[in-house]
Every structure is written in C-alpha cells, then in structure tokens.
Amino acid sequence: MPVAERERHIVDGAITFFSEHGMDAQLRELAGAIGVAHTLVYHYFPTKQALVDRVYQEVFAGRWKKEWEALLDDRSLGVEDKLVRFYVDYARTVLTRDFVRIMVFSGLSDRSIPDRFFALLGERLFPRLVRETRRHRGSRARGSASVREFELLMGLHGGIFYGGVRWFVYGQPIHPRRPPLDDPAIIADRVRSYLEASLGL
C-alpha cells in the first residue's frame, strides 16, 4: 500500500475507532482494530496525541468553512435569513456520527477536542452571532456578550448540536418520522425563537 494510502487508512480507522470506543484506548488497541501492526501506527504518529491532533484537524477544524464567516458578515442579508442559512449548512456539515461521538467522548475524558473546538467557535463564530443578534434587536452595544446574551446563544447553538446527540449517542430520532438533522423548517423555528427571545434582553 502506498505511503499516503496507508496513512489515510490509519487516520480513517482512528476516526471510526475513537467514535465507537472513546479516546482512552491505547494505540495498540487501535492498531489491532484496524488490522495493522502497532509499530506501523507509531511510524506515522509517534504519540497518541499526534494522532488525536490529526483526528481533530480532519473531523473538526478541517470542516470549518470560511464561507460561513462571509455569510454572517454580509450586511445585505437579514439576520434571520443568514442565521438560518448558516445553521442549516453547519448542521449538514458537522452533525455526523464521527463528529458528535468524538466530541462527547473527548468531553468525558481529557476535553482536548471540545476545548479546541470551542476556542475556534469563540474566535470565529460566537462574536459574529452576538453582533448579528444585537443588530436584530437594534442594539448598538459592542464588546463581549453578557451572561444572558451568551447563555441564550448557547441555547440555540446547543439545541442544534443536541439533535446529533439524540441520534448518534442516545439512538433517539428527533421525531418518529426522522426528519434530517439539517431540516430547514426545524432550524428556522429554533432561530426565530432565539431571535424573539433576544428582544427581551
């Protein structure tokens, strides 16, 4: 197997393994699960952390789209429209079995992946959402979000993510007819409820 294909096999296997078994397993266990010698895994990834870093890049940071930032910065669009468009595509992109389960497993162990991903969101996403929410309610406030602003936003963002938790962790569909996790109507309902509640801040 060519070098690039072998590395790809290890990374893909690690993503599947971590999403099924969690982040606490040793590289020897992972190697056995994907059918390669553990020395081969160490050849490409000399430490478990190096492999976890690669998984983070593939599954989390690598899925971030610069177009989302451009969408949220577009002043020609209404706030509700851009938030719905963003969250539909965000849900379509991140609410996969691997993303959701690795995020939860890492949160239950060393928290390295949630810490890094929330740092990314704190830099690239949350300030934009706070700015747009203030724009919606006609506020000229600047600076960091208040506790109430941030917690209301976490209700929206966490509600979108929770659809993935319900399905990929609990095995419960969001509805007996199983609408997709990126259903525009459901996301629009969440966004409208969020924006309406923000008017009371």
Side-chain angles (χ1 to χ4, degrees):
M1 185 181 294
V3 170
E5 286 184 28
R6 194 178 299 278
E7 182 179 3
R8 182 77 258 161
H9 175 71
I10 292 170
V11 172
D12 289 345
I15 291 169
T16 300
F17 184 84
F18 288 146
S19 73
E20 289 297 323
H21 303 286
M23 310 299 292
D24 293 332
Q26 300 301 309
L27 289 189
R28 187 182 296 271
E29 297 172 79
L30 184 150
I34 63 178
V36 300
H38 73 278
T39 53
L40 183 65
V41 177
Y42 280 110
H43 174 74
Y44 289 94
F45 301 97
T47 66
K48 180 182 173 184
Q49 188 57 52
L51 183 55
V52 170
D53 290 344
R54 177 66 178 275
V55 167
Y56 173 77
Q57 187 58 43
E58 293 270 337
V59 179
F60 296 88
R63 294 189 188 184
W64 183 260
K65 298 181 182 180
K66 291 289 289 183
E67 305 95 274
W68 292 337
E69 297 174 42
L71 168 66
L72 294 171
D73 290 342
D74 187 347
R75 299 283 292 186
S76 71
L77 298 173
V79 174
E80 181 179 320
D81 180 40
K82 68 170 71 176
L83 264 62
V84 170
R85 288 168 58 180
F86 164 72
Y87 271 115
V88 167
D89 196 47
Y90 180 82
R92 188 170 295 147
T93 301
V94 308
L95 293 185
T96 64
R97 180 179 179 82
D98 295 336
F99 184 104
V100 171
R101 289 177 62 87
I102 291 173
M103 176 74 85
V104 171
F105 274 128
S106 181
L108 292 170
S109 57
D110 67 355
R111 297 196 305 275
S112 66
I113 285 177
D115 285 350
R116 280 185 279 182
F117 192 66
F118 270 85
L120 182 153
L121 297 179
E123 176 187 346
R124 300 186 184 181
L125 178 61
F126 296 152
R128 287 180 163 89
L129 295 178
V130 169
R131 180 198 66 209
E132 292 304 304
T133 304
R134 288 171 175 173
R135 176 183 163 210
H136 174 76
R137 69 176 199 262
S139 170
R140 295 182 178 275
R142 295 183 178 275
S144 300
S146 69
V147 171
R148 290 183 67 200
E149 284 177 311
F150 188 73
E151 288 305 311
L152 186 61
L153 177 56
M154 288 301 95
L156 170 64
H157 191 83
I160 301 292
F161 181 73
Y162 184 61
V165 173
R166 285 162 63 186
W167 182 234
F168 295 120
V169 177
Y170 301 149
Q172 303 297 312
I174 60 175
H175 188 278
R177 289 199 300 269
R178 285 188 58 187
L181 296 173
D182 59 355
D183 186 304
I186 292 173
I187 289 176
D189 287 343
R190 289 188 180 278
V191 168
R192 286 191 203 101
S193 295
Y194 164 74
L195 291 175
E196 182 175 343
S198 77
L199 298 176
L201 295 177

